[in-house]
Amino acid sequence: MRSWQGAGIWYGADYNPEQWPESTWVEDVALMRRAGVNLVSVGIFSWALLEPAPGTFDFGWLDRALDVLHEGQINVDLATATASPPPWLAHRYPETLPRRADGAVLWPGGRQAYCPSSPVFRERSLALVEAVARRYAEHPAVVMWHVSNELGCHNVHCYCDVSAAAFRRWLGERYGDLDTLNDAWGTAFWSQRYHDWDEINPPRTAPTFANPTQQLDFLRFSSDEQRAQLRAERELLKRLAPQPVTTNFMIGTGIKYLDYHSWASDVDLVANDHYLTAADPEAHVGLALAADHTRGVAGGDPWLLMEHSTSAVNWQPRNVAKTPGQMRRNSLAHVARGADGVLFFQWRASRAGAEKFHSALVPHAGPETKVFREVCRLGADLKAIAEVRGSRVDADVAILVDYEAWWGAELDSHPSVDVTYADQLTALHGALWRAGVTADVVHPSADLSGYKLVLVPTLYLVRDAHADALRAYVEGGGTALVTYFSGIVDENDHIRLGGYPGAFRELLGIRTEEFFPLREGERVTLDDGSTADVWTEWLHPAGAQVLASYADGPLPGVPALTRHAVRTGAAWYVGTRLDHPATDRLVARLLADSGARPPVDAPTGVEVVRRRAGERSWLFAINHTDTDARLAVTGVELLGGGRCDGELVVPAGEVAVVRELSERREIVVGKKELDRVNLTVEGDR
Ligand code: GAL
């Protein structure tokens, strides 16, 4: 057991006792115990109260709050409280305020109004971390540290003079000398050659497109600056306190500017915040993608869902409430996909402030509510499945994701604004979801050898080593699919010459000579009946077999879908944006080609995921449909269902978690299936 994992599944919320009189704290703890809450994040936005004036600390209220929680046996994930500086910081040190690309200052009054490169902010924030860590390192309630909060959520890109100087230093370390930088940035173009480091600025608002490599490096630098704050706080905490350290990532909420793959090594456990997009009726599919990506960032280890919502949020245009049962399905879907904890924003709904209409565990209407009843039910559920803690998720498929490729793909002055990075990622992951197949969403540097199928959506920017790794995977017998606008540039955003998709041309056995993006709303038909939009390209097979070609559009007769047999593996390519049914059919063919399978067969809309620890395994089945589902499962259903023998009924809208007693395994010798046996594993102990 890893030190952060505690005795079961963590359950709780952000808790902001400073917003309430102390008499409410007692009721809070009683309700937490009723609900089965065992972990709360405290102090996240408390800097202004903890340090009312520079160097003057007031820990009285926090001492008392932690003691009340401890008496109630509620554990604490204690914040370093650096998430949002107090008004006095900007008042005394206006140079700590961030600036936008056009020079506008972002003033205090909201949150996170600080320049991430500010040495003043760094010094003052670390002084606070030190004071908090010294005071509470030994507190028996504190089981982990929560650095800042959603680093970079509002202030990731600062263009002020302090940031400009830090950017120059960062570039100096990356390139060493100006000639190398000029080469990497391609400054022979548009009279951009630099002769002095001081001539270089962040890509501030310019008359037209800024240099793309300058933009890309600024995005890298900005992610690194946020990461530097995490590392500085972590280093201090490690010196002063024994508890594990985490911070909440924002994977899957559309925030693309923080390279979490590179941050994972700076936390003892990966924690993530996830909020549904209320307008999306299939938001639970997006949730699955976020969870699979979080697990990928965590290297397959269990992770913590640090925040989600019991019902509506306050910051979308129309904040749709969750229907009965939806919060439970959402929560258990995260657990199915590797979370060992389910926490929310926030414990008690605020009376004042910008988030007063955000849902909480205890709503404004109090505990006699649908929400609090569901909170109590979920608490009981998590207790009932405590044994899954520490287990890992089975996945036959990997999807490669790289933040650098995302940044690069969405730079300006590209062939089509309709090509967005997350589009094919979402489409392919959604097709797998509908097929019931679990995918790990991993960085291109991950070990691919254990996967039956690897999907490579829109990997526009790819490093040589990562392209080589994909080739080795396919040559070793793997099946891969690459989608359009992949392999186009190197890490400096320079085109890979000789035909697209440069880095993958040989592996895929194709050569594209010209892109033919489609007009807005224009659709093409393929000779297998599929329709597609956004993108086509003039592709020549160079060893690959053509599986489908365009029947109309700008390129009739030109291949759109290909498969290249490479030794014992296969490399597929799709050169257009297939519609959903066609994407589902393509994924079905890839599953058949590769042997990747769902954990059990289930009707579409019933999410099935298996977690495993050695010989033991648990099957999660989440029924998102309005029809009862029957699955061929044998085991003990832990959420009150008892034994199931060959058939598990999951009622509409409900969830089942089965400790499996046996599973069908195929014994395969060479390529020939010799026998099928029913291996019974000792799971019912
Ligand atoms: C998160 C943030 C929380 C709260 C929440 C509301 O982004 O970490 O502090 O603002 O959103 O949904």
Side-chain angles (χ1 to χ4, degrees), residues 277-521:
T277 306
D280 178 3
E282 296 283 284
H284 51 275
V285 183
L287 180 157
L289 172 55
D292 291 343
H293 191 185
T294 305
R295 187 177 67 253
V297 165
D301 285 342
W303 51 278
L304 184 62
L305 178 66
M306 187 63 91
E307 287 181 28
H308 70 153
S309 67
T310 56
S311 193
V313 298
N314 64 296
W315 42 265
Q316 296 183 13
R318 283 160 215 88
N319 294 298
V320 177
K322 290 192 181 177
T323 53
Q326 192 180 3
M327 182 268 273
R328 181 174 187 250
R329 290 193 298 277
N330 292 165
S331 300
L332 292 169
H334 282 291
V335 178
R337 293 174 187 276
D340 270 2
V342 175
L343 279 73
F344 294 82
F345 178 84
Q346 63 175 331
W347 167 251
R348 189 181 275 278
S350 300
R351 288 191 70 190
E355 294 183 326
K356 58 183 172 298
F357 291 116
H358 195 291
S359 61
L361 280 77
V362 183
H364 293 146
E368 297 311 317
T369 45
K370 156 217 149 206
V371 166
F372 192 72
R373 276 190 290 278
E374 292 200 359
V375 162
C376 292
R377 184 182 184 202
L378 179 60
D381 287 343
L382 295 176
K383 244 182 221 144
I385 61 167
E387 65 191 55
V388 308
R389 170 183 44 77
S391 59
R392 294 165 73 92
V393 174
D394 275 1
D396 279 354
V397 182
I399 306 182
L400 304 189
V401 165
D402 188 351
Y403 285 96
E404 284 195 332
W406 191 346
W407 302 339
E410 294 184 358
L411 290 172
D412 44 39
S413 56
H414 274 194
S416 171
V417 294
D418 296 328
V419 176
T420 57
Y421 181 77
D423 182 74
Q424 289 303 289
L425 166 66
T426 309
L428 291 169
H429 185 274
L432 287 171
W433 191 94
R434 286 186 289 279
V437 174
T438 312
D440 289 339
V441 178
V442 299
H443 188 258
S445 60
D447 175 10
L448 303 178
S449 56
Y451 295 107
K452 294 185 171 147
L453 175 64
V454 173
L455 305 180
V456 186
T458 322
L459 201 66
Y460 164 78
L461 178 157
V462 64
R463 292 167 189 252
D464 292 345
H466 300 158
D468 291 348
L470 187 70
R471 158 185 294 280
Y473 164 75
V474 174
E475 285 177 350
T479 303
L481 168 78
V482 176
T483 75
Y484 60 90
F485 214 44
S486 291
I488 305 298
V489 298
D490 64 14
E491 66 180 282
N492 292 328
D493 197 44
H494 293 200
I495 298 288
R496 293 175 176 276
L497 300 175
Y500 316 117
F504 300 123
R505 204 172 48 226
E506 235 177 275
L507 172 65
L508 296 166
I510 57 170
R511 185 175 67 86
T512 285
E513 63 173 275
E514 191 175 355
F515 300 139
F516 278 70
L518 300 178
R519 295 185 173 83
E520 192 176 5

Side-chain angles (χ1 to χ4, degrees), residues 14 45 111 149-150 153 248 273 275 307 313-315 345 355 358:
D14 280 20
F45 294 102
R111 64 176 174 185
N149 188 65
E150 293 189 343
C153 180
N248 41 351
D273 295 351
Y275 290 93
E307 287 181 28
V313 298
N314 64 296
W315 42 265
F345 178 84
E355 294 183 326
H358 195 291

